Amino acid sequence: MTHLGKCSLLVLSLLLPSCSAQEGRREGSASPVLAPVVASSGPQAASSEPPSVVQILTTDPALLLGEYELSKKVPPVVDGDTIRVDGLDKSLRLVGLDTEEVFKDDEGLKRLAQGDWPAYLKKMNEGVDARRPPKYGTPMGEASKAFAQEFFGGITTVRLEYDHPKKKRGYYLRHLVHILVKKDGKWWNYNVEAVRQGHTPYFVKYGKCHRYHDAFVAAEKEARAEKRGIWGTPPAHSCYPDYPARLTWWTERAAALDRMHLRKAANKSIFVLDDDEDYERLKTMDGKRVTVAGSLDGSRLIRKETKDQGAIGILYMAHKMNDDFALVGPFTTMEAHPIRSQDGNLILVTGTISIHRGSPQFAIDGITYEVL
């Protein structure tokens, strides 16, 4: 067993009750089995390894963000899916994973979780849609942070690669990346290894991974088979108890994203708000009737008072923070419009573009919409 594997077993045994029904089985199955990243100049790497194991370092300058030092100013590991590096304008969002949260600074909630887990779960899920479970601190979140600290222990420099040349930044302008490290002369993809060790499912809520999809699928399959982490028998105080609901939500949204991209491929008049190039092209479509595809924030209806038009209502479809696509109209019309029921859903909206202060928008009158 590698040094990394021994440390992982110790960390998990200290932070978590067993997530497996068989203690002896967990002792052997929890140790990391790293899958090497193979450098290649082509789209596929020649290897006798199964395709799901072979991972490829990019040689495409459009995908390579670069090599950066782990942060020296602040602790580089915030939690299992938040890693800090020096020298970038924004933080990182790691593609393909979504680990549970750490408890952060709320000692009261942490004490409640430790003392009365059912009461803690009830409190964290008050007033939320059970189909879209919230995130909150858990012992598994703490264990995932410890795993990341161990994984990056002794590492000073990491390699950051984008997953897709047209999707480099997320809604909050964070870099959407895979984070790779070199150990013993080989490269390892942390994103995939976090899934392989059972710290997170393969996270597809915002779309399937373009470059490492097979590796993520194989890693989750292995973690499930070995009952690692979240895939073990849930103990009294451990992981989210509602992964079936989370996975249903994520996979349904991923399927809607797939349908959206298929529709766009067949119809060039569809503009995907998540695509920066499409959004910039919308700014040249003043007065033209087009279709935009994206996620609606139906619960956030903004009211603005004007001198000549009275109360105006604004709904937003997500593009980037402080630069979303607006649907506008009389407040009373917006308040009662049926499109608000599609809060959080991916939809196609057809209307006539107008430009307001440099940003494209639709007037609510005359729009049609369709749920993807």
Side-chain angles (χ1 to χ4, degrees):
M1 183 182 296
T2 66
H3 175 69
L4 178 60
K6 291 176 181 176
C7 290
S8 288
L9 285 173
L10 177 60
V11 167
L12 286 172
S13 65
L14 289 173
L15 289 174
L16 284 175
S18 171
C19 283
S20 169
Q22 302 177 32
E23 286 294 318
R25 179 179 178 82
R26 185 192 67 81
E27 188 70 14
S29 63
S31 57
V33 184
L34 296 178
V37 178
V38 180
S40 171
S41 59
Q44 296 293 332
S47 173
S48 58
E49 297 278 4
S52 61
V53 172
V54 175
Q55 301 166 28
I56 304 168
L57 287 180
T58 186
T59 57
D60 184 347
L63 291 173
L64 177 60
L65 179 55
E67 294 191 3
Y68 292 84
E69 289 190 353
L70 289 172
S71 179
K72 296 177 181 176
K73 304 172 186 176
V74 293
V77 175
V78 178
D79 55 34
D81 59 17
T82 308
I83 311 300
R84 294 172 171 147
V85 299
D86 290 332
L88 284 176
D89 59 333
K90 294 289 182 179
S91 59
L92 308 177
R93 176 71 178 92
L94 305 189
V95 175
L97 70 162
D98 189 31
T99 62
E100 298 186 22
E101 298 293 298
V102 296
F103 285 105
K104 299 182 180 176
D105 298 325
D106 196 326
E107 289 298 321
L109 286 177
K110 186 174 183 179
R111 285 194 296 271
L112 178 60
Q114 292 171 336
D116 191 340
W117 182 247
Y120 175 71
L121 293 179
K122 182 179 180 180
K123 181 176 180 62
M124 302 315 294
N125 285 276
E126 284 177 352
V128 301
D129 185 342
R131 298 169 300 173
R132 296 179 179 179
K135 297 197 70 179
Y136 45 85
T138 65
M140 177 57 76
E142 299 288 342
S144 296
K145 178 179 179 178
F147 170 75
Q149 289 172 326
E150 176 198 353
F151 188 94
F152 292 104
I155 299 295
T156 58
T157 302
V158 297
R159 179 183 174 98
L160 304 178
E161 296 184 359
Y162 292 118
D163 189 59
H164 194 284
K166 287 191 175 184
K167 193 173 180 181
K168 295 183 177 182
R169 303 248 190 174
Y171 181 80
Y172 296 103
L173 303 182
R174 294 180 296 180
H175 296 275
L176 305 177
V177 298
H178 298 276
I179 184 165
L180 304 143
V181 303
K182 197 171 188 179
K183 294 175 181 280
D184 301 323
K186 296 179 181 179
W187 287 94
W188 314 94
N189 185 325
Y190 171 75
N191 305 37
V192 173
E193 297 313 317
V195 173
R196 190 187 309 281
Q197 298 313 314
H199 290 281
T200 170
Y202 172 25
F203 184 61
V204 296
K205 179 182 173 185
Y206 299 114
K208 297 171 185 174
C209 176
H210 291 269
R211 297 178 53 216
Y212 292 106
H213 174 73
D214 288 346
F216 277 115
V217 170
E220 183 179 306
K221 182 178 180 181
E222 181 180 321
R224 284 175 177 259
E226 297 297 331
K227 299 186 183 300
R228 295 180 187 143
I230 62 173
W231 306 117
T233 303
H237 303 72
S238 178
C239 327
Y240 294 148
D242 46 22
Y243 272 107
R246 293 174 192 270
L247 291 169
T248 297
W249 175 21
W250 299 351
T251 54
E252 286 177 352
R253 196 175 189 282
L257 282 166
D258 287 343
R259 292 193 293 271
M260 179 180 74
H261 290 294
L262 285 172
R263 292 284 292 274
K264 177 178 170 58
N267 184 352
K268 300 302 181 184
S269 68
I270 293 177
F271 294 77
V272 175
L273 295 178
D274 201 27
D275 185 318
D276 291 341
E277 291 182 6
D278 274 13
Y279 188 74
E280 290 303 312
R281 286 175 53 224
L282 277 174
K283 297 177 181 179
T284 69
M285 297 288 160
D286 191 18
K288 294 188 167 93
R289 192 163 180 83
V290 300
T291 299
V292 299
S295 177
L296 178 74
D297 188 352
S299 64
R300 183 166 65 107
L301 175 59
I302 305 299
R303 180 188 178 112
K304 288 191 175 181
E305 298 292 339
T306 66
K307 291 181 179 179
D308 53 348
Q309 294 178 289
I312 297 296
I314 307 172
L315 287 173
Y316 290 103
M317 295 178 68
H319 168 59
K320 291 288 189 296
M321 183 175 60
N322 301 323
D323 192 20
D324 289 324
F325 185 86
L327 307 175
V328 300
F331 182 80
T332 53
T333 301
M334 300 295 293
E335 193 175 32
H337 202 285
I339 199 170
R340 292 190 65 199
S341 66
Q342 301 307 322
D343 180 37
N345 289 335
L346 285 166
I347 56 176
L348 295 173
V349 183
T350 300
T352 302
I353 290 288
S354 61
I355 306 298
H356 178 69
R357 296 181 179 177
S359 296
Q361 62 180 27
F362 282 155
I364 198 73
D365 291 337
I367 69 162
T368 59
Y369 70 91
E370 171 187 351
V371 181
L372 283 160

